[in-house]
Amino acid sequence: MSDSTPSFKCHFCAVCNGTGCIGELPGMGGVRHNENFRLNCDGWEVCRKQDPRRLKDFLDSGTYSPRVRVAPVTGAVENVGFEDEQCFYYSMMFSAHKAGLGLCIGDGTPDIKLQSGIAAVNWICRDSPETKATVFIKPYDNTRILERADWASSIAECIGIDIDSYNIATMRNLVQLEKKTSAQLKEIKQHISAPFAIKGVFTEEDVELVKEVKPDVVVVSNHGGRIETRTGSTAEYLLQYGGELRKNCGELWVDGGIRTALDVATAMSLGASQVLVGRPVVTALCKGGTKAVVSVAESLLSEPEL
């Protein structure tokens, strides 16, 4: 793939920080002139400056072991410029797996979006049978969620509900997404065999939801700045609420604006067990294919320099 390929919507900016794709949604941008997209990117440095000793002490402890996953990405046709979802997912999952990144797949409408992700992971499983992915499903009614969880059961190491996608008005109205209650989430957790995750935790209300449900995994996320939610960065949210969230879940993950090994280390010093990376991996795939994705992964997994 080449950076001159006209079909791709990414501008391949020297630094992916939300300044080059303002107003481009569908596309690689976000809502409100990329406000939260840009805040996410800046937030990790903001947290480092607030308490420089925290990260240094964390790295000096000798316990740092970076864990990075490719974030769940769908809508690759309308948002990225791929010919179809299947082409995107096969390329993305193969490249991320080869790069040593954990896998996540997302959901959407039409069903081919989720089904393509499942098929791509199954394809990888032919040579690497142990390969699994975390599967994030939109907050439909519970019957439909459990049906989709069943589709993914053979490749799912964890199944999560993407609660913040309720705030995508076009999708909410198109497929009747629900604002999930703790009772509804507990019902899903009870009926699936895989560990259960809640993704899109980003408000005070979400903290209370986590306390009631006690999921196996919580993902702090504002959808990469692509949805209407409160203003702020995931880094600063993790700093403020991470301790409280960790008391009520098995693992705490985070995404949003993570661009460097230093950002990965900062997130883990704030209590994240794993980090998810979306745009940098997608951009690398579009610009340089698998080789570029491997290079991005090596950079993120390298020893951070203070």
Side-chain angles (χ1 to χ4, degrees), residues 95-112:
S95 299
H97 177 68
K98 186 174 180 62
L101 300 177
L103 306 183
C104 292
I105 62 174
D107 181 28
T109 184
D111 292 346
I112 191 64

Side-chain angles (χ1 to χ4, degrees), residues 15-304:
V15 179
C16 179
N17 61 5
T19 59
C21 53
I22 292 174
E24 298 182 9
L25 188 64
M28 298 290 281
V31 299
R32 300 197 305 268
H33 301 286
N34 287 8
E35 182 179 26
N36 274 5
F37 179 176
R38 289 178 285 143
L39 289 172
N40 282 348
C41 294
D42 294 340
W44 302 106
E45 180 62 19
V46 170
C47 289
R48 285 192 286 270
K49 287 181 177 178
Q50 284 184 4
D51 186 356
R53 290 294 310 178
R54 180 194 297 109
L55 179 57
K56 185 177 188 308
D57 290 346
F58 174 70
L59 293 174
D60 287 346
S61 72
T63 61
Y64 178 58
S65 179
R67 298 174 68 190
V68 181
R69 288 177 174 266
V70 60
V73 178
T74 56
V77 175
E78 55 266 44
N79 291 313
V80 185
F82 272 80
E83 292 182 3
D84 57 59
E85 290 291 322
Q86 190 172 46
C87 173
F88 166 75
Y89 255 126
Y90 273 65
S91 299
M92 175 61 80
M93 292 298 99
F94 172 79
S95 299
H97 177 68
K98 186 174 180 62
L101 300 177
L103 306 183
C104 292
I105 62 174
D107 181 28
T109 184
D111 292 346
I112 191 64
K113 292 182 178 179
L114 175 60
Q115 291 167 344
S116 293
I118 295 169
V121 178
N122 271 320
W123 176 63
I124 292 171
C125 285
R126 296 180 309 169
D127 296 320
S128 302
E130 74 287 351
T131 302
K132 300 286 184 180
T134 295
V135 181
F136 291 105
I137 300 173
K138 296 289 188 290
Y140 310 105
D141 66 82
N142 278 14
T143 298
R144 190 174 182 188
I145 287 173
L146 292 173
E147 176 188 40
R148 296 166 99 76
D150 187 58
W151 295 353
S153 60
S154 65
I155 57 92
E157 63 179 322
C158 180
I159 291 177
I161 307 304
D162 190 5
I163 62 170
D164 61 343
S165 58
Y166 171 81
N167 294 310
I168 305 173
T170 52
M171 179 165 284
R172 180 174 69 239
N173 297 331
L174 179 64
V175 293
Q176 290 80 52
L177 300 183
E178 298 179 347
K179 186 175 177 62
K180 287 300 182 185
T181 66
S182 60
Q184 289 174 315
L185 293 172
K186 286 178 180 178
E187 180 186 24
I188 299 165
K189 180 183 177 184
Q190 181 181 354
H191 282 87
I192 62 173
S193 57
F196 179 67
I198 298 177
K199 179 180 179 291
V201 172
F202 194 60
T203 67
E204 290 185 14
E205 182 183 9
D206 294 337
V207 175
E208 296 306 312
L209 196 65
V210 168
K211 287 181 179 178
E212 294 182 39
V213 179
K214 292 184 168 48
D216 299 290
V217 175
V218 163
V219 186
V220 170
S221 173
N222 59 18
H223 228 87
R226 294 174 64 81
I227 63 166
E228 293 290 348
T229 185
R230 58 177 282 275
T231 299
S233 74
T234 53
E236 291 166 283
Y237 184 88
L238 181 63
L239 174 63
Q240 183 174 359
Y241 293 107
E244 197 169 1
L245 290 169
R246 284 196 305 275
K247 294 175 184 176
N248 292 281
C249 67
E251 286 197 2
L252 184 59
W253 301 359
V254 66
D255 70 13
I258 294 166
R259 299 291 182 267
T260 67
L262 198 58
D263 293 341
V264 175
T266 302
M268 298 188 77
S269 75
L270 294 174
S273 303
Q274 301 193 39
V275 302
L276 279 61
V277 178
R279 286 183 180 92
V281 179
V282 172
T283 297
L285 179 67
C286 293
K287 190 172 184 179
T290 299
K291 184 177 180 180
V293 173
V294 170
S295 178
V296 166
E298 288 175 346
S299 176
L300 291 170
L301 295 168
S302 66
E303 189 72 23

